[in-house]
Amino acid sequence: MSGPALRTGGPRGLRRFAGPRPPRPETCELCGVAVPPDGHRHLVETEKRTLVCACTACSLLFDRPGARTGRYRAVPDRYLTDPDHRLDAGVWERLQIPVGVAFFFRNAALDRLVALYPSPAGATESELDPQTWQQVLDGGPLAALLEPDTEALLVHRWEGRSGCYLVPIDVCYELVGRMRMLWQGFDGGAEARAALGAFFDDVERRARPVAPANPAGDRS
């Protein structure tokens, strides 16, 4: 009588003690080679507006000036900041962003600016007229350097201060995913605020300041 009971509790019963399966290693979505979980490059698939993991060799194929108009575009790794950027409370209210963080990028296919901000539902697109964003942010030096589809202008307003950074587009979506996972209550909660602070500390550490659009002494 014990035989059937032993067979019934065989492989299935042992699964309880086997532990969770190890996560599948990340791979390059172009050639299939394994890539490290942290530190590998991303490409933007422009038609679908999605990020694609890439190994070093494949990313280099799309990291050339002649490859910037194809289906895939390599995400740059530069971080820049504008020390002279100012965004007061009145201008922020005009932008109608309900949180203190927003980023925008230039969609080459649509030939317009797209503004997004993190929310409990993920990346939420601003319905504000893109011309308003242009009027507010195009005067700074970072907007002129922005690469379409692959880089974003990241704006942060907190405690009466503001910062503006040019960053890789993938770090913006990384922030959106982190905020979505941690968000609690109306204002995000303490854990989400701490993660946001750590994120911008890292951005500030990486960012290199750029010269002002009209430096002193420029009479042109």
Side-chain angles (χ1 to χ4, degrees), residues 86-96 128 132 136 157:
R86 297 291 181 271
L87 196 65
D88 62 30
V91 174
W92 190 258
E93 290 178 3
R94 181 183 171 196
L95 296 177
Q96 301 175 23
L128 191 66
T132 302
V136 171
R157 180 165 174 80

Side-chain angles (χ1 to χ4, degrees), residues 44-169:
V44 172
E45 187 174 1
T46 56
E47 295 178 2
K48 298 180 180 179
R49 280 177 57 179
T50 57
L51 292 172
V52 174
C53 294
C55 65
T56 300
C58 288
S59 66
L60 289 175
L61 295 175
F62 301 95
D63 201 12
R64 298 172 296 179
R68 292 178 182 172
T69 57
R71 176 182 176 185
Y72 295 106
R73 298 182 189 175
V75 177
D77 58 1
R78 63 177 177 172
Y79 289 71
L80 303 174
T81 183
D82 178 9
D84 295 328
H85 171 80
R86 297 291 181 271
L87 196 65
D88 62 30
V91 174
W92 190 258
E93 290 178 3
R94 181 183 171 196
L95 296 177
Q96 301 175 23
I97 300 296
V99 295
V101 180
F103 64 95
F104 79 84
F105 68 96
R106 188 172 298 280
N107 186 311
L110 300 177
D111 192 27
R112 71 174 179 88
L113 296 173
V114 177
L116 300 160
Y117 56 90
S119 76
T124 301
E125 186 166 346
S126 169
E127 297 181 357
L128 191 66
D129 183 354
Q131 289 186 350
T132 302
W133 281 98
Q134 245 173 307
Q135 292 169 0
V136 171
L137 297 170
D138 263 7
L142 295 180
L145 300 173
L146 187 67
E147 289 286 346
D149 297 315
T150 60
E151 293 182 318
L153 288 186
L154 177 64
V155 180
H156 182 208
R157 180 165 174 80
W158 77 107
E159 298 178 354
R161 296 174 291 166
S162 66
C164 184
Y165 310 88
L166 186 150
V167 299
I169 190 76

